[in-house]
Amino acid sequence: MKTMLKVGLVAALSFAASTAFEQNVQAQSAAPAMNVLIGNATAGDTQAEANDKFAELLTKYSNDRFKASARHGQSLGSNAQMISALQAGSIHGMVFPAGFLSTVVPDMALFDLPFLLPGAPAKITAFAAQSKAAAKMMELAEQKGIHVIGFHGIGPQSFLTKFPVDKLADIQGKKFRIIPSPPRVGAYQDWGAVARPMELGEVYTSLQQGALDGMENPPDVMFKMKLYEVATYYTITEHFAFVSNVIVSKRWFDGLPKELQDVVIKAGKDTIVWADAAYTASQDSSLEALKKSITVTTMPAAELQKMKDLTRKGVWERFKQDPQKGPVVKLLEEDVARFNKM
């Protein structure tokens, strides 16, 4: 009799536990999807498509537990405002150039040292993947409430101007839009030009009205955002290369269950793979389209060497001597030496 009672009790407890588990699974399945906001400042370019891809994969890999959407064209604010919102957890993710994070994580700007990175998107991604400096930057970002999933290449940057550029002297005294990154400001100082940090959404009108004389960006931004309509000379220099980061809010990420954290990481890493192919195709096709629309030339090698020499003696040396940034600059130089042997 006692045995029967024990068996009955065990069966009852097992049934109750099984029922509770099924109810919990059903509750999770029935729970409303978590809205996930991905913020982006650009519109209609490959960066916007990369943000859309990240949102798409977050939704797909979570089996719709996430309902992710990307908002473009600064509809959620400027880059600075979106970064602040991401730290607070009200924006959940962003895919955009790493240099914009330099206002929060100063060492992130060191990717913007002139003539540091290879120009091809996939090569930039490969460089960042083996970079000890990049790993250090990720640690520093984490301390600021930003979880960096990884980096990928966007492409090489050259000059788009309202005037022809055949030599270094042509840009001296001219006003160029840059992202707010100290190495970029320093490089333009070395070259004798005037750096004007500015949000991308303001550039078209500023070029049109004469507040700017030129800007720098990869071909796809120039073409897809129609900036070539107001500045008709593109001079290939590849003096900088854009590296982008896939980031999420640490506050939001840390609050997710492990299985959804894994989803976020996988979605971010697969976005990076997608971005390599997308940016490679976009930069190539956009450059060809620019050649059909405006004057495209290449800076003579001797003039390009002048630019390199000035920045090696200038901004590079200043950052190497900086007590805080110098160690990361050294890591970058070691990264370059190691990458060139691969």
Side-chain angles (χ1 to χ4, degrees):
M1 182 69 178
K2 288 182 179 180
T3 302
M4 291 178 64
L5 285 172
K6 286 181 180 179
V7 171
L9 180 60
V10 169
L13 289 172
S14 176
F15 176 77
S18 176
T19 302
F21 176 77
E22 290 176 3
Q23 288 175 342
N24 184 48
V25 170
Q26 290 171 358
Q28 283 191 359
S29 300
M34 184 189 305
N35 287 320
V36 176
L37 281 179
I38 309 298
N40 180 49
T42 68
D45 64 347
T46 311
Q47 181 175 311
E49 293 172 4
N51 280 273
D52 283 334
K53 176 58 67 172
F54 188 31
E56 174 195 325
L57 295 179
L58 284 168
T59 301
K60 177 182 177 181
Y61 293 165
S62 69
N63 292 321
D64 295 325
R65 289 174 68 182
F66 289 143
K67 184 180 180 182
S69 61
R71 309 294 173 84
H72 305 294
Q74 298 188 345
S75 62
L76 298 179
S78 66
N79 276 308
Q81 291 168 329
M82 287 190 286
I83 291 168
S84 179
L86 182 135
Q87 289 174 293
S90 55
I91 289 178
H92 306 103
M94 297 175 71
V95 183
F96 71 132
F100 281 108
L101 276 183
S102 64
T103 54
V104 178
V105 187
D107 289 68
M108 200 73 80
L110 296 175
F111 274 137
D112 290 332
L113 283 164
F115 303 106
L116 166 68
L117 297 169
K123 286 187 177 181
I124 299 171
T125 303
F127 176 89
Q130 60 86 51
S131 169
K132 293 183 180 179
K136 180 64 176 177
M137 293 174 194
M138 293 170 78
E139 291 176 13
L140 295 170
E142 199 82 9
Q143 296 169 15
K144 299 290 186 175
I146 298 165
H147 183 75
V148 180
I149 297 174
F151 300 97
H152 71 80
I154 293 178
Q157 291 183 284
S158 297
F159 295 132
L160 181 72
T161 56
K162 300 174 70 174
F163 55 91
V165 175
D166 300 311
K167 54 188 180 299
L168 175 59
D170 291 334
I171 70 169
Q172 292 174 346
K174 301 295 187 180
K175 302 181 292 293
F176 282 81
R177 178 265 178 179
I178 64 165
I179 66 173
S181 172
R184 291 174 185 262
V185 173
Y188 277 88
Q189 289 173 344
D190 294 338
W191 297 327
V194 180
R196 291 280 176 84
M198 183 183 294
E199 290 289 341
L200 188 58
E202 304 170 26
V203 172
Y204 189 103
T205 301
S206 295
L207 285 167
Q208 195 173 43
Q209 296 178 350
L212 289 175
D213 300 306
M215 68 172 300
E216 57 184 21
N217 249 323
D220 75 323
V221 176
M222 306 299 195
F223 183 72
K224 294 184 178 180
M225 298 195 74
K226 300 186 176 180
L227 293 162
Y228 67 91
E229 293 178 346
V230 287
T232 58
Y233 296 90
Y234 191 64
T235 307
I236 298 173
T237 55
E238 299 190 356
H239 53 280
F240 294 121
F242 251 157
V243 57
S244 180
N245 41 216
V246 180
I247 65 173
V248 295
S249 166
K250 184 178 186 301
R251 175 176 292 185
W252 171 70
F253 182 80
D254 287 351
L256 295 173
K258 176 66 165 55
E259 69 271 16
L260 286 182
Q261 288 183 341
D262 292 344
V263 163
V264 173
I265 297 299
K266 178 172 171 53
K269 289 186 179 297
D270 286 358
T271 297
I272 289 171
V273 174
W274 178 92
D276 273 350
Y279 272 110
T280 297
S282 183
Q283 301 303 357
D284 290 347
S285 63
S286 295
L287 181 59
E288 291 306 309
L290 284 175
K291 289 177 179 178
K292 296 175 183 178
S293 304
I294 60 174
T295 302
V296 177
T297 59
T298 299
M299 180 74 92
E303 295 298 315
L304 205 58
Q305 191 60 50
K306 289 180 186 178
M307 294 175 65
K308 293 178 180 179
D309 291 343
L310 285 169
T311 54
R312 268 291 167 183
K313 295 174 184 176
V315 65
W316 269 91
E317 195 59 34
R318 292 193 294 275
F319 274 93
K320 284 171 72 173
Q321 298 304 320
D322 184 286
Q324 293 181 319
K325 297 183 177 62
V328 180
V329 175
K330 183 179 179 182
L331 285 177
L332 280 169
E333 290 182 322
E334 292 171 357
D335 290 339
V336 170
R338 183 171 56 255
F339 183 74
N340 288 340
K341 293 177 181 178
M342 293 173 65

